[in-house]
Amino acid sequence: MREMPVHTITDAIANLCIEINHQMQPDMLAALERARSKEESPLGRHVLDQILENARVAREAWYPICQDTGQAVIFLDIGQEVHLTGGALGDAVQEGVRRGYAEGYLRNSVVANPLRRENTGDNTPAIVYYEIVPGNRVQIGMIAKGAGCDNMSRLEMLTPAGGADAMETFIVETVERAGPNTSPPVVVGVGLGGTFEKAALLAKRALLRPVGAPHPDPEMARLETRLVERINALGIGPAGFGGRITALAVHVEGHATHIASFPVAVNLDCHSHRAKSIEL
């Protein structure tokens, strides 16, 4: 059994909040560079140049990549051989977000109640998902999720009779309906199967994969490639000004589901795509 004080997790989450809001990760930078080399529209190339320049300035001058510094979404995969000590894990996670957003001078965007809309003043509570996994390590994945892209995400309970065609059409139409509102080029997370809520969770978690890394299942990888091609054929382009590159990547995750169900969820992330995973 490995003992781990919860303040270790607090420190790690505080650092993640600051880092991902100021430093675009190498996988996302590489995806934008690839997009720049493929984009045929002069205006689209100009937009991508501005996005890359913004990322450079943010990194070198230590400014937030975007004024919407997001709501913290945390995935904790906790090894079953880890014994967490020194306090409550949930409190430690929230303290990490509270510290990170304060020490990073990041915008507080969370309201305590969706009806009354009072700002909590410290960007907590974060959205936290826990999973117990084998081993003696803790993996922390974080996404700083802006509202513009999350607001355009969708979930549909398709019928199995609709098959793959209905599923692909729904995914592509979701991106098309979103248009420029997601600040493209986007990263598209897709969840297939499970139940109503599981599909949405799969789609959100899919955004933690390295941008453009194919699914290990060849059939899923082919689906991802096909969806990228169909989405980019829409012509929405960078910032919605038209062009070849609307999606940098599509990441699909699947799960077993009921014989009478075919849940499909699409979670969109903008060109800032602030996400990172670490292991403790």
Side-chain angles (χ1 to χ4, degrees):
M1 183 67 69
R2 177 190 177 200
E3 289 200 353
M4 180 182 295
V6 293
H7 72 75
T8 304
I9 293 174
T10 296
D11 294 343
I13 289 175
N15 290 334
L16 276 173
C17 291
I18 296 169
E19 179 184 342
I20 65 173
N21 270 295
H22 292 84
Q23 291 186 322
M24 186 172 285
Q25 297 303 298
D27 59 322
M28 184 60 174
L29 285 170
L32 287 166
E33 293 282 5
R34 290 194 298 271
R36 174 63 176 79
S37 68
K38 294 177 182 177
E39 182 55 70
E40 297 170 355
S41 161
L43 184 53
R45 289 196 300 271
H46 175 72
V47 170
L48 290 166
D49 285 339
Q50 294 301 304
I51 292 171
L52 287 163
E53 173 67 5
N54 180 76
R56 182 193 66 78
V57 171
R59 180 176 62 253
E60 294 179 2
W62 209 246
Y63 294 128
I65 298 168
C66 177
Q67 79 280 359
D68 180 354
T69 53
Q71 183 167 19
V73 181
I74 310 289
F75 291 87
L76 281 171
D77 291 349
I78 303 169
Q80 62 186 23
E81 297 173 34
V82 175
H83 177 211
L84 295 165
T85 63
L89 175 59
D91 293 343
V93 172
Q94 300 299 339
E95 178 61 20
V97 173
R98 186 178 295 110
R99 270 183 40 196
Y101 273 76
E103 294 171 9
Y105 300 98
L106 302 171
R107 192 181 84 180
N108 298 318
S109 301
V110 174
V111 295
N113 183 291
L115 298 178
R116 293 192 295 273
R117 315 299 294 186
E118 303 101 337
N119 197 297
T120 63
D122 60 9
N123 225 52
T124 67
I127 308 299
V128 188
Y129 300 103
Y130 303 93
E131 188 167 342
I132 303 300
V133 298
N136 65 353
R137 310 287 288 178
V138 173
Q139 181 166 298
I140 306 172
M142 179 180 171
I143 306 172
K145 202 67 167 65
C149 49
D150 223 38
N151 287 347
M152 304 309 297
S153 301
R154 297 172 68 206
L155 186 148
E156 187 79 15
M157 300 297 288
L158 299 176
T159 62
D165 287 345
M167 172 266 292
E168 290 190 30
T169 297
F170 171 72
I171 294 166
V172 175
E173 285 182 350
T174 296
V175 180
E176 185 174 27
R177 284 176 55 173
N181 295 324
T182 50
S183 299
V186 294
V187 180
V188 183
V190 176
L192 304 179
T195 52
F196 179 86
E197 78 286 353
K198 181 66 174 181
L201 185 57
L202 288 169
K204 181 64 66 69
R205 183 154 190 157
L207 296 173
L208 280 172
R209 279 168 47 191
V211 178
H215 196 285
D217 181 328
E219 182 180 11
M220 288 288 208
R222 288 192 293 271
L223 172 61
E224 290 172 340
T225 298
R226 192 161 60 248
L227 286 168
V228 168
E229 292 172 350
R230 290 187 60 180
I231 290 169
N232 286 339
L234 295 171
I236 296 168
F241 290 131
R244 183 178 177 185
I245 307 297
T246 300
L248 299 171
V250 176
H251 298 162
V252 180
E253 297 293 337
H255 197 276
T257 193
H258 192 282
I259 55 173
S261 293
F262 192 0
V264 181
V266 182
N267 196 252
L268 302 171
D269 210 11
C270 69
H271 61 65
S272 294
H273 185 59
R274 296 152 299 178
K276 185 176 181 177
S277 296
I278 61 171
E279 190 174 79
L280 303 176

